[in-house]
Amino acid sequence: MNLLASIRQRFLPALKDLVEDPAPLLDLVRPAQDARFGDFQANFAMPLAKQLGRNPRELAQQIVDSVDLGDFCEPLEVAGPGFINVRISTSHLETLLQQVAGDDRLGVVPVSSPRHFVVDFSSPNVAKPMHVGHLRSTVIGDALCRTLRFAGHKVTSDNHIGDWGTQFGMIIYGFRHFRDETSWQEEPVTELARLYRLVNQLSEYHATRSSLPELTRSLDAARTELEAATAEAEVADDADRKKLKKRVSAANKEVASGEAALHSAEAAIAAVENSAALSRQAADHPQIARLAREETARLHAGDEENLRFWNEFLPCCLEALQRVYDRLDVQFDLTLGESFYNPRLADVVDSLAEQGMAVLSDGAMCVFSPESNAPFIVRKSDGAFTYATTDLATVQYRRDELRADEVLYVVDKRQSGHFQQLFETSVRWGIGDLQFRHVSFGTVMGSNGRPYKTRSGDTVGLESLLDEAVSRARRIVDENDDRRETASLTDEQRARVAEIVGLGGIKYADLHHNRDSDYIFDWDKMLATTGDTATYMQYAYARVCGIFRKLELDRSDIDFSRIPVLLRTDEERRLGLQLLSFGYALDGVLAEYRPHLLTSWLFSTAETFSQFFDKCSVQKAESEELQKSRLVLCDLMARAIRTGLSLLGIDVTETM
Ligand code: ARG
């Protein structure tokens, strides 16, 4: 049951008579924006008339005359320049709602030709603790997997972890020189994270110190330029003033960014020099960055000891990741990290070379493509393979071994250049019908408009972020429950609700933005009890459960599909129509892999429900039939919210 699809279907024959490809025109049949214009609107007559050189109103009328929708619509209406307004007959809506009331899938029919999707998401570089930047890929990717599966597709979720990169050289170096044996025995994960941070800090320290003269020099140059430009601007005549103003403002910017760079460099240096222990370590390890890189190179070359270290470290890293995934309720079918593809990389380069696609350039093997300026480097001049080589091997594996139809890469939009080159190269390499999609997303920002960081400038650890969400949610739950005459939740229940509300809040706040935009991380907004938040939906759900409790009815005992639905008021009719639109909300999500289209559907549903609930009393309904019918709508609404949220990986609770 998909009302929109049925209406489109009915328009199809008329359009087929007029054009070769009616699909884009049918796309212009949409839910109406304004109830005054009916429930749906067909907006294809205008572009079609243009194409055929005809009068749009006449054309619309001709189509209306030939279309048969009489069994479920009021007579069609042509309006304005040629819009066709479609109003579903209320009795048809009532019938459909009764059907959906007995359907677990809320009327959504599984796709007729399922495809096999590999969804590459989360994919952190391990050995570094997960941070806020990993939230987006994890949450968006999980929502897409759930929605694709619900739609009836086959999905393989694959966590393409970075488990073979330079960070391992860093912890190997740290392990050799700075290991604290007791904490390694007791808390290996924490110890490895500490070693990574330490080696990183010391390497950065040396790099920053040697960059200081250059930073100072360029700041001086910027200041000199600013002075010069300002002086010239003061004496300039009108003709030159505009140009000079621009120059002054550019110089100002240059000075500001130079000062910021210098300050942060000085802060990084001070952080080491203000600690006696760190200063000593820094002095004892002046070549730390190079030596850590050499550890990585030895690991890649198959050095026995480094491989042993790697084998010992990896399970700890995975365990730390798993803790986060368990908490977020995210599952992977596969975790095939970069190391898995290592044995295949030489063959990839050979194959590209054989086909004449990869050529030597300055000692590196590169694939050049007409579409992009930069070469796609598959083997560096020192012999090392790259991120690109690994991704090509991964493409091959997903096609040949996993037999995927389509791969989604849920990765930061800053990597779009890489993916464009990867897709182009793969196509030329001969990857057949395998489809690709970079599902890109923007950055999580702080209120200062810069990437979200802690006050001291560190990245925000993901686990502490989740903890904070839950503890903030706990405060809300406590306040809420304490306000009741008799507190109704036990301590254990409060903790459970806080977990559901806190994590739901974080996930929803991420998903309800169009994924390509950056968004500002805002605790208060994300846990607000009204507005477009998970908390609001969760409240709406709990409220409906409350209605049934008050009437002492157990929803699971009721066969809703046997109760006739009556849509007597506008509010009931609107809610009914909204509940029937779940299917096309999901179609929207999957058309371009945009989960925010599901959150907007949920928000509209909750709002439509709230209007219904204000106007149409369930307890004091005019008749028993009407009360029962309203209970059907309530149950449907609750299931819609629960199902919709579950596709986003968000849970609900019966009491809040
Ligand atoms: N590990 C990479 C990073 O943190 C992301 C990997 C995304 N997936 C891929 N197949 N390249 O940047």
Side-chain angles (χ1 to χ4, degrees):
M1 194 294 312
N2 182 326
L3 256 180
L4 182 59
S6 322
I7 297 170
R8 286 180 175 162
Q9 200 55 39
R10 296 292 177 91
F11 276 112
L12 181 63
L15 293 180
K16 248 194 191 151
D17 289 345
L18 295 165
V19 285
E20 192 115 331
D21 179 16
L25 294 173
L26 287 175
D27 224 33
L28 298 174
V29 184
R30 308 245 165 103
Q33 297 290 340
D34 184 331
R36 279 177 305 169
F37 305 131
D39 302 326
F40 294 89
Q41 213 167 32
N43 300 341
F44 49 63
M46 287 74 76
L48 181 58
K50 205 168 195 185
Q51 198 180 322
L52 303 175
R54 292 191 43 189
N55 174 307
R57 269 195 77 99
E58 269 172 38
L59 184 63
Q61 192 59 52
Q62 175 196 327
I63 294 171
V64 161
D65 292 340
S66 71
V67 164
D68 181 18
L69 274 160
D71 50 337
F72 66 92
C73 291
E74 311 282 335
L76 300 180
E77 212 177 72
V78 177
F83 297 111
I84 301 172
N85 296 340
V86 183
R87 196 178 150 84
I88 312 295
S89 72
T90 300
S91 63
H92 186 64
L93 287 180
E94 290 170 341
T95 313
L96 289 178
L97 284 164
Q98 192 174 352
Q99 280 167 16
V100 172
D103 177 12
D104 280 347
R105 297 182 50 88
L106 298 154
V108 179
V109 195
V111 287
S112 50
S113 32
R115 291 161 60 73
H116 180 194
F117 286 84
V118 168
V119 185
D120 177 325
F121 73 103
S122 196
S123 308
N125 293 331
V126 304
K128 313 178 192 180
M130 281 178 100
H131 56 80
V132 62
H134 295 115
L135 186 69
R136 300 216 71 186
S137 174
T138 309
V139 167
I140 296 170
D142 182 50
L144 292 176
C145 289
R146 290 169 185 262
T147 311
L148 284 165
R149 285 200 182 102
F150 185 80
H153 293 290
K154 176 174 171 187
V155 175
T156 302
S157 54
D158 186 5
N159 194 1
H160 187 79
I161 53 175
D163 59 356
W164 198 238
T166 49
Q167 71 275 26
F168 278 96
M170 292 164 75
I171 47 177
I172 291 173
Y173 187 90
F175 197 76
R176 289 186 196 278
H177 299 279
F178 308 120
R179 164 173 88 237
D180 177 331
E181 194 55 39
T182 329
S183 29
W184 168 242
Q185 293 305 332
E186 284 168 8
E187 290 213 56
V189 177
T190 319
E191 177 61 4
L192 289 183
R194 183 189 73 86
L195 290 174
Y196 170 77
R197 271 193 235 108
L198 177 61
V199 175
N200 196 35
Q201 185 178 24
L202 297 177
S203 312
E204 293 279 308
Y205 168 79
H206 290 298
T208 313
R209 267 186 49 139
S210 49
S211 74
L212 265 191
E214 181 50 38
L215 285 178
T216 319
R217 219 178 1 257
S218 55
L219 178 56
D220 286 346
R223 283 187 177 139
T224 314
E225 158 65 6
L226 179 59
E227 268 170 39
T230 315
E232 277 184 52
E234 269 164 21
V235 296
D237 52 30
D238 284 349
D240 287 341
R241 185 154 306 133
K242 214 169 171 188
K243 234 199 269 156
L244 281 163
K245 253 193 176 159
K246 264 198 192 143
R247 210 178 118 195
V248 171
S249 111
N252 256 321
K253 269 195 200 132
E254 201 63 21
V255 169
S257 80
E259 281 173 349
L262 193 61
H263 283 155
S264 82
E266 282 167 350
I269 291 171
V272 171
E273 293 182 350
N274 291 341
S275 142
L278 284 173
S279 312
R280 192 160 10 85
Q281 285 167 327
D284 290 347
H285 299 267
Q287 296 296 326
I288 187 166
R290 181 174 58 79
L291 296 173
R293 271 199 305 279
E294 286 175 13
E295 296 290 9
T296 310
R298 266 200 293 281
L299 170 70
H300 289 177
D303 176 87
E304 229 170 81
E305 190 181 29
N306 279 8
L307 270 175
R308 191 162 48 73
F309 280 139
W310 183 82
N311 275 308
E312 214 173 320
F313 297 159
L314 194 63
C316 302
C317 303
L318 294 179
E319 188 194 309
L321 293 186
Q322 196 55 46
R323 239 188 359 236
V324 175
Y325 295 137
D326 284 346
R327 193 149 181 212
L328 288 173
D329 190 21
V330 169
Q331 282 95 28
F332 293 96
D333 300 309
L334 299 172
T335 298
L336 297 180
E338 292 176 0
S339 66
F340 174 80
Y341 297 98
N342 188 46
R344 301 164 185 259
L345 303 183
D347 286 349
V348 169
V349 177
D350 287 347
S351 156
L352 290 166
E354 256 165 47
Q355 292 191 21
M357 284 177 63
V359 292
L360 265 177
S361 165
D362 287 336
M365 283 299 265
C366 303
V367 178
F368 291 92
S369 97
E371 283 96 350
S372 68
N373 303 327
F376 203 41
I377 302 174
V378 290
R379 200 182 62 212
K380 293 195 270 189
S381 53
D382 64 4
F385 299 113
T386 65
Y387 189 49
T389 332
T390 312
D391 258 333
L392 285 164
T394 310
V395 166
Q396 198 177 43
Y397 181 83
R398 287 172 176 165
R399 186 199 58 176
D400 296 343
E401 312 287 323
L402 301 181
R403 310 218 145 263
D405 296 311
E406 184 155 357
V407 185
L408 305 184
Y409 296 86
V410 187
V411 185
D412 194 310
K413 72 176 170 198
R414 283 171 287 198
Q415 292 194 27
S416 64
H418 166 76
F419 285 107
Q420 201 183 335
Q421 287 183 305
L422 175 66
F423 301 163
E424 275 163 22
T425 307
S426 301
V427 169
R428 281 170 56 211
W429 193 25
I431 211 66
D433 319 331
L434 183 64
Q435 305 269 306
F436 305 101
R437 180 88 183 206
H438 178 200
V439 179
S440 58
F441 53 79
T443 308
V444 183
M445 306 294 237
S447 51
N448 57 2
R450 302 238 176 111
Y452 189 53
K453 296 267 168 75
T454 60
R455 213 170 280 167
S456 61
D458 291 332
T459 49
V460 179
L462 193 49
E463 288 198 274
S464 62
L465 193 81
L466 302 183
D467 288 340
E468 169 136 23
V470 173
S471 79
R472 282 175 184 257
R474 175 65 194 246
R475 260 177 271 155
I476 298 175
V477 174
D478 283 344
E479 272 169 30
N480 204 30
D481 207 33
D482 291 342
R483 254 205 314 267
R484 284 191 252 261
E485 280 161 30
T486 45
S488 61
L489 300 175
T490 62
D491 195 54
E492 205 177 296
Q493 281 172 322
R494 288 184 184 198
R496 202 182 70 87
V497 174
E499 188 83 11
I500 291 175
V501 171
L503 299 183
I506 286 218
K507 288 185 178 183
Y508 194 97
D510 196 296
L511 293 167
H512 96 284
H513 293 97
N514 195 344
R515 59 177 166 76
D516 281 315
S517 351
D518 299 338
Y519 75 87
I520 292 178
F521 195 88
D522 181 336
W523 286 115
D524 295 329
K525 265 195 198 153
M526 85 175 62
L527 293 171
T529 49
T530 54
D532 191 8
T533 64
T535 321
Y536 178 55
M537 307 312 146
Q538 288 165 328
Y539 261 118
Y541 179 81
R543 194 163 158 198
V544 179
C545 297
I547 299 171
F548 283 90
R549 264 198 309 275
K550 249 199 209 139
L551 293 168
E552 294 179 7
L553 293 171
D554 185 344
R555 280 166 62 209
S556 57
D557 286 345
I558 306 172
D559 182 355
F560 290 99
S561 69
R562 302 178 69 98
I563 303 174
V565 176
L566 309 169
L567 303 176
R568 293 285 158 79
T569 60
D570 279 353
E571 286 76 15
E572 284 164 302
R573 189 179 187 284
R574 220 173 301 134
L575 177 60
L577 193 63
Q578 173 68 20
L579 290 167
L580 291 170
S581 66
F582 188 46
Y584 28 101
L586 296 185
D587 289 346
V589 173
L590 294 183
E592 285 195 40
Y593 310 110
R594 297 197 187 276
H596 80 280
L597 295 173
L598 177 52
T599 65
S600 19
W601 183 82
L602 283 164
F603 188 43
S604 311
T605 306
E607 289 206 308
T608 318
F609 179 76
S610 162
Q611 287 152 11
F612 154 83
F613 196 68
D614 286 346
K615 200 63 177 278
C616 309
S617 173
V618 178
Q619 261 176 311
K620 295 188 194 130
E622 293 85 328
S623 65
E624 201 186 323
E625 285 76 47
L626 203 54
Q627 180 177 67
K628 283 191 172 156
S629 158
R630 287 178 183 168
L631 285 172
V632 176
L633 293 178
C634 286
D635 173 69
L636 261 175
M637 144 75 189
R639 287 194 294 127
I641 296 284
R642 192 182 59 206
T643 309
L645 286 178
S646 83
L647 297 183
L648 302 173
I650 299 172
D651 213 346
V652 288
T653 154
E654 306 243 322
T655 41
M656 263 173 87

